Amino acid sequence: MVRTPLTPEERERGERLGRLLRQARGGRSMTEVAADAGISAETLRKIETGRAPTPAFFTVAALAGVLGLSMDDVAGRCTPAAPVAPAPSVAA
């Protein structure tokens, strides 16, 4: 199966998710958090490093639950800010 290349926005969202999860994990080991979420440590490593920038919803939900994050917080902190469109010019 051939995957469609990721857009720059998808890559950025994945990097933001990885940073958020690393910060929320704090001093807990990757192995401990992954086991508590029911995923492998390698999967968590890939998500945290951005090598798996589009993890399944249920994986993100499980990690959020283990780390005490709400899904609203995860979504809000991982969505890139929308670029500001220039104001339309007004004809005189």
Side-chain angles (χ1 to χ4, degrees):
M1 178 168 108
V2 176
R3 294 188 111 181
T4 304
L6 298 174
T7 65
E9 292 81 15
E10 289 170 325
R11 288 179 214 256
E12 181 181 349
R13 190 170 44 242
E15 290 169 2
R16 287 174 182 247
L17 176 61
R19 282 192 301 271
L20 174 61
L21 295 176
R22 276 193 308 276
Q23 290 171 352
R25 186 165 55 84
R28 292 175 66 184
S29 76
M30 191 177 286
T31 304
E32 174 190 351
V33 170
D36 289 348
I39 63 173
S40 71
E42 182 59 24
T43 296
L44 180 54
R45 181 176 293 111
K46 286 179 181 178
I47 295 168
E48 285 190 357
T49 60
R51 289 189 356 238
T54 57
F57 173 82
F58 293 105
T59 300
V60 176
L63 288 167
V66 167
L67 296 171
L69 299 168
S70 74
M71 289 301 289
D72 287 337
D73 190 38
V74 172
R77 293 177 60 187
C78 293
T79 303
V84 177
S89 60
V90 178

